[in-house]
Amino acid sequence: MKTPLMVIQGEMELAQEKDVPLTPEKLSSLLDDVLRLSRLVHDVLDLSKLEAGGAELRPSAENIVEMVSGLIEKTQFLAEEKHIGLSMHASEDVIEVSVEKSRILHALYNILINAIHYTNEGGQVQLHVERMYSHDRQDEVVRIVIEDNGIGIPQEDLPHIFNRFYRADHSRSRPNGGTGLGLAIAQQNIVVHKGWIEVRSEAVKGTAFSVFLPTAKERLRENL
Ligand code: ATP
Ligand code: MG
């Protein structure tokens, strides 16, 4: 957060003290910084609210298969920029879940964007959506797998990647890095829906995140 703030402050002080007019280019890059910061502040506040149990869910009946295919349509251009093949396979056309759509989309988006971001040019990102039985839950769930053949996550980083602001070594050294909030937000949004996330990864070979959510059938029974 500090870096964009310092940039904004510095540019404005310069404009004021030295009477240097802000060019349209400067202004638009400053506006980008402000927008990035305001998204970040929003995300941090939302995450704190989720963790404190203070977020009220407004769930509705949604078809998770349709949600995932909509997400792919919206991110396709980002994959194409890196010549990454983005594909999806669903075991059926309709799997109903009871969710607050924007929260689940946000979670899946963060994981999918990571898959594209941490996969080299020409790679593959595949999504699978399937209904399955969870022995742990003793009930039916839907599993959404987001699998890439990217750079992978070192084993020693795996236990920490869902922590706020944690970034694996390979991404800390990248110039245009993120903040390490994406997965923390994704996990909290899934957990408030009584779901969970699992991850498997191997350096060089790639990474697979699995998101599990109760199907609407389970919710209905729970509410009876
Ligand atoms: P942000 O999402 O806040 O912009 P970020 O991507 O660094 O920043 P997270 O999304 O929380 O943060 O991910 C945490 C770290 O996990 C990343 O920095 C990266 O090192 C690692 N990571 C996450 N997904 C993948 C992936 N699909 N392949 C390789 N590494 C990954
Ligand atoms: Mg991320």
Side-chain angles (χ1 to χ4, degrees):
M1 249 194 245
K2 266 193 194 153
T3 321
L5 256 183
M6 271 155 57
V7 172
I8 296 166
Q9 188 181 345
E11 292 286 353
M12 293 200 144
E13 280 174 355
L14 204 68
Q16 195 182 40
E17 285 161 19
K18 301 255 158 69
D19 217 10
V20 187
L22 284 170
T23 60
E25 294 77 32
K26 272 266 157 61
L27 259 180
S28 103
S29 123
L30 282 179
L31 189 60
D32 277 351
D33 281 334
V34 170
L35 287 177
R36 200 145 13 115
L37 266 178
S38 95
R39 250 195 317 268
L40 192 60
V41 170
H42 171 271
D43 279 353
V44 173
L45 290 178
D46 194 50
L47 186 58
S48 308
K49 206 157 82 181
L50 283 176
E51 284 176 352
E56 238 177 78
L57 282 189
R58 281 168 306 223
S60 52
E62 303 289 345
N63 176 7
I64 189 77
V65 180
E66 207 178 284
M67 281 170 63
V68 173
S69 65
L71 196 61
I72 289 187
E73 268 170 41
K74 290 218 173 68
T75 42
Q76 192 77 49
F77 78 99
L78 288 170
E80 275 166 18
E81 274 175 8
K82 286 182 78 179
H83 306 288
I84 287 174
L86 185 56
S87 62
M88 166 185 176
H89 177 265
S91 62
E92 52 209 289
D93 292 337
V94 182
I95 302 178
E96 209 169 76
V97 289
S98 170
V99 297
E100 187 168 322
K101 198 174 176 184
S102 62
R103 290 196 175 277
I104 297 302
L105 283 176
H106 193 176
L108 295 174
Y109 176 83
N110 285 356
I111 298 172
L112 179 55
I113 286 298
N114 279 348
I116 296 171
H117 189 74
Y118 300 110
T119 296
N120 293 325
E121 297 244 341
Q124 288 288 332
V125 175
Q126 290 182 321
L127 285 91
H128 298 269
V129 186
E130 61 185 2
R131 201 191 289 270
M132 60 172 278
Y133 185 81
S134 160
H135 289 281
D136 290 344
R137 283 291 168 98
Q138 303 226 323
D139 218 330
E140 188 187 279
V141 293
V142 58
R143 170 162 72 171
I144 304 123
V145 182
I146 298 142
E147 190 171 18
D148 64 59
N149 62 354
I151 58 178
I153 303 171
Q155 293 304 306
E156 64 267 26
D157 287 314
L158 273 182
H160 311 291
I161 54 167
F162 292 102
N163 297 346
R164 299 165 169 219
F165 304 118
Y166 189 87
R167 314 193 64 220
D169 222 15
H170 60 69
S171 39
R172 261 178 259 141
S173 53
R174 292 192 168 199
N176 295 321
T179 42
L181 273 182
L183 285 179
I185 290 169
Q187 190 179 45
Q188 281 300 323
N189 274 317
I190 297 301
V191 167
V192 290
H193 284 88
K194 300 204 169 82
W196 72 98
I197 304 183
E198 291 173 6
V199 58
R200 274 188 297 116
S201 189
E202 232 180 286
V204 189
K205 284 199 173 160
T207 305
F209 282 90
S210 293
V211 172
F212 297 86
L213 285 169
T215 57
K217 193 185 98 232
E218 191 192 32
R219 278 299 167 91
L220 289 177
R221 223 183 292 137
E222 250 174 30
N223 294 337
L224 284 177

